[in-house]
Amino acid sequence: MSRLKLFRLVLGILSYALFSLQNGEAACDIPFIIRGAWFSWENRPVLTTIDSTHMTDRGTCIDFQEDYHVNYTFVFQENSCFHCVKLLVRTVNVLDKLETGCVNLPPGKLPTIHNVCSKLNEEQQLITLFNENPIPVNCRSSLEGVWQFAYQNRFRFTGECNHPGAQIKSCQTAGTQFLITNQKFSITYKSCPGMTGTFDGVVEYSCLGDWFVEKNHFFAVVNTKESRKDEKYRCFLKNRDDDLYIGVSITAECNTLKTVEKSPERMRITPVKAEVVEPGCRLPQNFSGNWINTANIDADVFINDTHIIETYHPDEGRYRRSVYVCRETRDSRYMMARLTVDGCQKDYICFDFVPQHHNIIRYRKGIAVIKDDFHTVCSWVQFKNNVAWKYDLFLAKNPHPVHCPVAGKFNFTQRGDQPFETRILGGVTLSPRPSLYCKQNISDLSVCDTDQKEILIDETYCLSVDHRGQPKDIYSDPDYKMKCIGYWKENLKSYLITYDELDPFSKYRCWVYQRADLNRILMSQAIGAFCDLKQDVTSWNYTEGATVALDMVEYERERDQCPMFFDDGENPWKVTENEVRVFHFGAGYLNSKATSPNINVLLVLLYACASMCSVVVFLCENRDLKMLLLGKTLKRDRSCAQCHVGTSTASAKHTILKVAVFQNFAFAYKLGDQSAGLKMEDRTAKALCLLTFIAGFALGYKAKEWRILWIKRRRDRLAWQLREAQKELEILQKAH
């Protein structure tokens, strides 16, 4: 009886196993994305065909597991061998494969995923499978832009071939009806003289898709004009941290690309502009210079008459650059053509500028559109219509300080995530500071310099004074020094920008300030160079974009001589008496109102000298006029090379003065009366006057150079005499 029960139990188990195996075979339906003909390089060219139930050289599918619709693990049976194959779907055209080879199971052990794939090594090299009938995809996610590149191939030549004509061009045509133009890119190789292995040629690739493995960006391509399958497919590798290099495989496999630097073929790429746009308008002249854009990771901005070039650094060693070209302007709006240097598309953006004040340009930027039409690009609806908004800022890269809107001596209390702390600027002092008993310590904020342009903050300031009313602590320095570089009022809030070269986080800091009483002022410092919309004078933590809030009360003493001052920034263009005027010397400067008075005086003196020379020439040329003007007896030789002045009743100084005074009379006399004895024609007189003026002008400018040259020669002569004297002294010393 027991044997019969055991037999029935074994028969039930076998029936259940057979039923499960049959159901597994019926349920193992390979997904459509994996089916097809695939090419791979496994030390030899391999062609793999996968249908709904079978895989070449692997047998029939009996079980599979799906993870996230991209990772599939299959168990195939071929005779008595079981194969575990794991396929990673990278794109619709690319698969990566891991497998175990033939696995033999002991009798009675079911061929499940767990049993067959337990020995699958996840660290083995991936084998890349390329679709034999690829579906082209758009190249924009893989590669977009125009680059000049230098390349090296470790298996062909040593060194790096850098030719200016070598280019990678991957440009998309928006809205084209021929999609194939957006699915290809070309690489133009150029040979370098003296480097064997380099060549001239153009290779055109179709994109098969891209994928990421951590920070590595892979994308696969196919050369549709190549008939050899092993030369047809290639893999490219970029890295997010170093995207100025591209690694290229030289075989139809991606597992050779471990890093960009150690790839079989490496390209060092430099972005170049794909198109040049002619400017059609000019930006305000006071915009020219170097700025930083607080709205784009403190990007570097260079502005000239027609262009805005913005360069920002996502991290160390990388940069992104955009070029804006002025196309059309009306009132405060400027339509700019935007050219991203590493891209191909040209679009148009509208800037709305506020006139510059202090070291600040305020602006807002519209939405980028593809149409070159001012009414479309710069329509007011193109600007973001938020309920609350404020202008973005361009701050001068090398700012000059301005009069602070808040000045005086203040005792403050603070609250915040990063309050002001006691520190020693410049590190350890040269000598120990003397110990000092201080009866009362306060937190002090002072703006007391002559022009009131610098904020000094001392977190522990000694308030004690001696019997004369002088401060006892004369050795301590302030903990923070910040220069005011601009202020304004916007959205009923007063804003201030300060500049501190020693600030480790941001040299520029934004403040919100407000006068709360006759002698009480509230201020809040932002985290960086711009203030958040939610920040007000009471903000003190990161939730409102602030670091610390100050409550300041004025406490000026008799000997401080630090008057209180406050300006809410309603009119930041107001000219104050302490304004610093910066003269930008350059083209057109002499025609501007800022011409130096010294240059004017020099020009007047030079013209006077030239005019006197012309009068002397006139006097040498005509005897009657000489006698009329000078009352002298003049003798002239035939060549008029020298004018001999006879006896005169006036001194030489008086004579020169009379020549200068009667110059205009001489010209009038010559032009008005031809019978007066003047023998020179009008054109000759004018030419002589012009020549003497030019000669005097040139001599005036050359005099400084000649004087410097004479000083240098005199210095060399004295140095030579000094050396000779030293030699004689040495000879005398040796003789004694």
Side-chain angles (χ1 to χ4, degrees):
M1 188 67 181
S2 60
R3 291 182 179 179
L4 182 61
K5 289 182 179 180
L6 181 61
F7 177 77
R8 288 178 179 177
L9 179 62
V10 172
L11 183 62
I13 292 174
L14 291 176
S15 301
Y16 177 78
L18 181 61
F19 177 78
S20 300
L21 187 61
Q22 290 176 351
N23 286 344
E25 290 180 359
C28 186
D29 187 18
I30 298 178
F32 284 97
I33 195 171
I34 295 177
R35 300 177 189 177
W38 304 87
F39 174 82
S40 61
W41 180 265
E42 304 174 25
N43 295 324
R44 59 184 179 85
V46 176
L47 182 62
T48 303
T49 303
I50 303 176
D51 58 18
S52 60
T53 57
H54 293 79
M55 180 177 179
T56 304
D57 296 332
R58 299 297 180 268
T60 305
C61 177
I62 59 175
D63 194 10
F64 84 99
Q65 179 181 333
E66 176 184 347
D67 296 320
Y68 308 110
H69 301 288
V70 290
N71 295 345
Y72 296 90
T73 305
F74 298 92
V75 174
F76 292 95
Q77 181 180 10
E78 184 181 22
N79 299 326
S80 61
C81 277
F82 297 95
H83 297 268
C84 178
V85 180
K86 186 174 183 179
L87 296 176
L88 309 177
V89 180
R90 300 304 191 185
T91 72
V92 294
N93 300 304
V94 180
L95 303 176
D96 275 338
K97 180 179 70 172
L98 296 170
E99 59 182 348
T100 59
C102 180
V103 177
N104 294 315
L105 296 177
K109 197 169 186 179
L110 298 178
T112 61
I113 294 288
H114 176 73
N115 293 332
V116 178
C117 297
S118 60
K119 297 182 180 180
L120 180 65
N121 182 13
E122 298 284 350
E123 301 298 327
Q124 64 179 288
Q125 277 195 350
L126 296 172
I127 298 173
T128 306
L129 282 69
F130 299 93
N131 197 339
E132 283 276 287
N133 302 301
I135 303 172
V137 297
N138 196 296
C139 291
R140 184 167 188 177
S141 60
S142 303
L143 194 68
E144 183 189 19
V146 179
W147 295 272
Q148 184 273 334
F149 69 92
Y151 66 101
Q152 63 177 15
N153 190 317
R154 294 188 298 166
F155 296 92
R156 288 186 180 178
F157 55 89
T158 58
E160 185 180 69
C161 176
N162 189 1
H163 193 284
Q167 281 195 350
I168 301 174
K169 187 173 183 180
S170 177
C171 288
Q172 317 302 310
T173 306
T176 179
Q177 58 179 334
F178 304 103
L179 295 179
I180 192 67
T181 60
N182 293 341
Q183 298 165 355
K184 291 186 176 183
F185 69 92
S186 62
I187 300 179
T188 303
Y189 288 92
K190 293 292 183 180
S191 61
C192 292
M195 298 183 69
T196 58
T198 61
F199 65 97
D200 292 327
V202 179
V203 184
E204 188 177 75
Y205 290 112
S206 294
C207 295
L208 300 180
D210 65 301
W211 65 96
F212 285 90
V213 179
E214 295 179 351
K215 290 187 177 182
N216 290 327
H217 182 196
F218 294 88
F219 59 96
V221 298
V222 57
N223 185 356
T224 55
K225 298 179 181 179
E226 177 63 59
S227 58
R228 297 169 296 176
K229 291 186 178 181
D230 56 333
E231 297 292 335
K232 190 174 185 178
Y233 302 96
R234 290 291 182 265
C235 259
F236 287 74
L237 171 63
K238 295 193 297 183
N239 190 284
R240 292 181 182 177
D241 291 338
D242 192 9
D243 56 359
L244 296 181
Y245 288 89
I246 295 180
V248 187
S249 66
I250 58 176
T251 56
E253 50 189 344
C254 297
N255 53 28
T256 58
L257 303 178
K258 304 299 183 183
T259 63
V260 175
E261 290 77 9
K262 296 182 180 180
S263 301
E265 182 178 334
R266 190 190 73 177
M267 296 180 176
R268 178 170 55 86
I269 59 177
T270 303
V272 295
K273 285 198 298 184
E275 187 176 358
V276 177
V277 178
E278 292 294 332
C281 62
R282 291 181 178 273
L283 296 168
Q285 290 186 355
N286 57 359
F287 282 17
S288 298
N290 293 299
W291 307 81
I292 68 159
N293 185 4
T294 62
N296 189 12
I297 326 178
D298 288 352
D300 295 326
V301 178
F302 172 75
I303 303 178
N304 59 19
D305 284 347
T306 56
H307 288 67
I308 298 177
I309 303 174
E310 182 178 10
T311 306
Y312 77 94
H313 300 269
D315 50 35
E316 192 71 24
R318 294 198 301 157
Y319 68 91
R320 288 287 181 271
R321 181 172 294 146
S322 297
V323 179
Y324 299 90
V325 184
C326 187
R327 293 289 297 163
E328 190 174 348
T329 176
R330 294 183 187 179
D331 50 72
S332 63
R333 292 169 294 169
Y334 292 79
M335 185 182 74
M336 314 286 287
R338 182 176 68 174
L339 303 173
T340 54
V341 177
D342 55 348
C344 302
Q345 291 187 355
K346 174 183 64 177
D347 48 25
Y348 299 89
I349 294 180
C350 188
F351 282 81
D352 179 21
F353 288 109
V354 175
Q356 182 202 349
H357 57 86
H358 306 131
N359 299 276
I360 300 170
I361 300 175
R362 288 184 285 157
Y363 74 96
R364 59 175 175 157
K365 191 162 57 172
I367 301 173
V369 297
I370 201 69
K371 190 175 181 181
D372 184 8
D373 179 67
F374 184 87
H375 298 286
T376 302
V377 178
C378 284
S379 174
W380 292 111
V381 298
Q382 299 294 350
F383 296 95
K384 293 182 179 179
N385 190 21
N386 298 330
V387 176
W389 61 272
K390 63 190 294 290
Y391 286 100
D392 294 322
L393 303 178
F394 284 158
L395 301 179
K397 193 168 186 178
N398 300 303
H400 61 272
V402 300
H403 192 283
C404 293
V406 177
K409 288 189 74 69
F410 299 93
N411 176 10
F412 70 86
T413 57
Q414 58 179 333
R415 179 191 181 195
D417 294 336
Q418 296 179 356
F420 293 107
E421 299 175 349
T422 301
R423 63 179 186 177
I424 299 176
L425 295 179
V428 180
T429 57
L430 296 177
S431 60
R433 291 178 178 174
S435 59
L436 179 70
Y437 170 72
C438 190
K439 187 176 181 180
Q440 183 181 4
N441 286 316
I442 64 170
S443 296
D444 173 78
L445 185 147
S446 300
V447 186
C448 297
D449 56 307
T450 305
D451 296 325
Q452 293 185 326
K453 296 180 179 180
E454 190 174 41
I455 298 176
L456 305 179
I457 296 178
D458 196 338
E459 196 269 333
T460 53
Y461 178 75
C462 182
L463 199 61
S464 300
V465 295
D466 58 14
H467 63 283
R468 297 175 298 173
Q470 298 288 352
K472 281 187 176 181
D473 188 4
I474 61 173
Y475 301 99
S476 297
D477 294 325
D479 302 322
Y480 300 86
K481 294 182 179 180
M482 294 174 284
K483 298 176 182 178
C484 301
I485 63 171
Y487 57 91
W488 73 98
K489 190 173 185 179
E490 184 179 349
N491 297 333
L492 299 179
K493 296 179 184 178
S494 298
Y495 295 96
L496 166 68
I497 302 294
T498 59
Y499 181 79
D500 182 7
E501 293 182 350
L502 300 179
D503 195 322
F505 181 75
S506 174
K507 294 181 180 180
Y508 302 88
R509 291 282 186 162
C510 181
W511 299 72
V512 182
Y513 67 96
Q514 177 183 327
R515 190 168 189 170
D517 204 343
L518 184 64
N519 62 343
R520 180 167 172 253
I521 294 177
L522 304 177
M523 298 184 71
S524 172
Q525 186 190 54
I527 294 176
F530 65 95
C531 292
D532 193 87
L533 276 171
K534 297 181 293 183
Q535 184 179 356
D536 56 24
V537 292
T538 60
S539 301
W540 59 273
N541 61 8
Y542 70 95
T543 59
E544 295 178 335
T547 58
V548 64
L550 306 181
D551 188 341
M552 309 188 304
V553 178
E554 194 254 350
Y555 78 99
E556 183 193 10
R557 298 168 294 184
E558 181 179 359
R559 293 181 180 271
D560 289 333
Q561 296 183 358
C562 186
M564 182 177 173
F565 174 80
F566 183 82
D567 186 347
D568 65 350
E570 182 71 28
N571 182 14
W573 299 276
K574 180 174 60 177
V575 179
T576 62
E577 59 181 0
N578 294 327
E579 181 189 10
V580 175
R581 183 178 296 274
V582 179
F583 294 93
H584 298 282
F585 295 93
Y589 173 73
L590 293 176
N591 296 327
S592 65
K593 296 181 180 179
T595 307
S596 172
N598 295 331
I599 296 180
N600 288 332
V601 173
L602 177 62
L603 293 177
V604 171
L605 293 177
L606 289 174
Y607 182 76
C609 294
S611 301
M612 291 172 63
C613 292
S614 64
V615 172
V616 172
V617 172
F618 273 100
L619 296 178
C620 291
E621 194 68 27
N622 189 277
R623 180 184 302 174
D624 297 335
L625 184 59
K626 289 182 288 189
M627 296 179 65
L628 176 64
L629 295 179
L630 302 178
K632 301 177 183 179
T633 303
L634 301 177
K635 296 181 180 180
R636 185 187 65 178
D637 57 4
R638 294 182 180 179
S639 62
C640 195
Q642 295 178 348
C643 294
H644 305 281
V645 181
T647 305
S648 175
T649 58
S651 63
K653 186 183 296 185
H654 191 206
T655 301
I656 295 174
L657 180 61
K658 290 171 69 176
V659 170
V661 170
F662 288 105
Q663 177 193 4
N664 292 332
F665 172 74
F667 277 100
Y669 182 80
K670 171 188 173 297
L671 297 175
D673 190 357
Q674 295 292 336
S675 62
L678 295 175
K679 298 180 180 180
M680 291 193 302
E681 298 293 334
D682 292 345
R683 288 181 298 177
T684 307
K686 293 179 180 178
L688 285 174
C689 184
L690 179 62
L691 289 175
T692 52
F693 172 76
I694 293 174
F697 194 89
L699 289 174
Y701 272 93
K702 284 291 183 180
K704 183 178 180 181
E705 297 180 8
W706 292 341
R707 182 174 179 273
I708 293 174
L709 184 61
W710 177 79
I711 291 174
K712 288 182 179 179
R713 291 180 178 177
R714 185 171 180 270
R715 182 189 61 190
D716 296 340
R717 186 170 62 254
L718 292 175
W720 179 81
Q721 292 177 358
L722 180 61
R723 287 195 298 269
E724 292 297 326
Q726 289 177 348
K727 290 180 181 179
E728 292 179 359
L729 287 175
E730 291 176 357
I731 293 172
L732 291 175
Q733 289 176 357
K734 290 180 180 179
H736 290 289

